[in-house]
Every structure is written in C-alpha cells, then in structure tokens.
Amino acid sequence: MAEQVTKPRVSIEYCPKCRWMMRAAWMGQELLTTFENEIGEFALIPGGVGIFTVKVNNTVIWDRKITQRFPEMKELKQLVRDIIVPERSLGHSDRKTDQKQHEKPAVTDDYMKSNQEECQTCPKE
C-alpha cells in the first residue's frame, strides 16, 4: 500500500473587529488559485484583537504584529511556495530581490508585549 501524503494546510487568522476578513479571504483565494494542486486545506480563523497571522501547517510565515504591516501578495506567495513547493517558479512574481527582506522575523520580548496590548486600529466596543 502506498504511503498517503498529506497536503499542507494554510490558515489566516484575522481580527474581525478591524474588519480584516475580506483582506484575509482575498489572500486565501489568491493562494488557492496559485497553489491549487499543492494546498490541501485553507482556513479563515476569526482571532483576537489586531491579529493577522498566516500559517502553513503550524508554522507562522507572517505576523502583522512583528512586521508592522500586511504582506504584499507577491511576498506571501513566495513565502508559501518556499515551504510547500520550493522548486516551483512563480514566473513574474518570483523573487529577484535581497533575501533579507523576506526572512521571517524572530519572536522577541517586544513582540510578546505587543501581542498583549490592545489594537489601536480596532473600533472600541
């Protein structure tokens, strides 16, 4: 019997109070279109205040609280590709820039503190 290979799960956890669901859904649609044969599952996860985190399986590849910005679609596709099909070319979207720009930031003590603070962009209840 052949070994069954599980395709990766991509998830985007977003802040519903910040109204980021449509951004998360659009990014998910773009990833599913680009990696239609490589992604096994995609999930949108309503999360905590100010969160916008992209994961492949359980690996965080983008966290808005670390980077202080949203990913450009081109760089998000590159980050996902680098994990699920590193040998694949993305054509015109492929990286030709400095690799340091795309390195995953390390989680720091400042990150842990900022993760516990209130989001400044969320509407107050």
Side-chain angles (χ1 to χ4, degrees):
M1 191 183 257
E3 183 180 325
Q4 184 175 355
V5 177
T6 304
K7 293 181 179 181
R9 177 181 197 263
V10 177
S11 63
I12 300 178
E13 188 173 1
Y14 65 93
C15 176
K17 289 183 178 183
C18 295
R19 310 282 187 249
W20 292 341
M21 182 182 70
M22 291 302 290
R23 180 188 304 261
W26 170 72
M27 288 185 171
Q29 174 264 315
E30 286 290 319
L31 291 173
L32 286 169
T33 300
T34 301
F35 302 105
E36 62 186 313
N37 296 317
E38 292 87 11
I39 292 177
E41 178 181 359
F42 177 78
L44 288 175
I45 305 168
V49 175
I51 194 164
F52 195 91
T53 305
V54 182
K55 293 181 182 179
V56 175
N57 294 324
N58 291 320
T59 303
V60 174
I61 63 167
W62 192 272
D63 190 328
R64 183 185 162 276
K65 288 190 176 184
I66 293 174
T67 60
Q68 300 295 306
R69 65 182 181 88
F70 291 101
E72 296 293 328
M73 199 63 241
K74 175 182 174 178
E75 67 188 324
L76 186 57
K77 286 180 181 183
Q78 290 169 349
L79 291 168
V80 170
R81 183 273 315 269
D82 290 350
I83 293 174
I84 67 174
V85 281
E87 69 282 356
R88 180 173 169 188
S89 170
L90 293 174
H92 70 278
S93 291
D94 231 342
R95 136 179 346 124
K96 302 283 188 251
T97 58
D98 181 22
Q99 292 286 330
K100 287 194 178 279
Q101 175 183 343
H102 300 286
E103 286 180 4
K104 186 171 74 171
V107 176
T108 63
D109 289 335
D110 290 339
Y111 165 73
M112 295 307 289
K113 288 178 189 174
S114 71
N115 217 8
Q116 297 169 2
E117 295 174 5
E118 293 242 351
C119 176
Q120 301 302 312
T121 60
C122 286
K124 302 300 179 209
E125 292 183 46

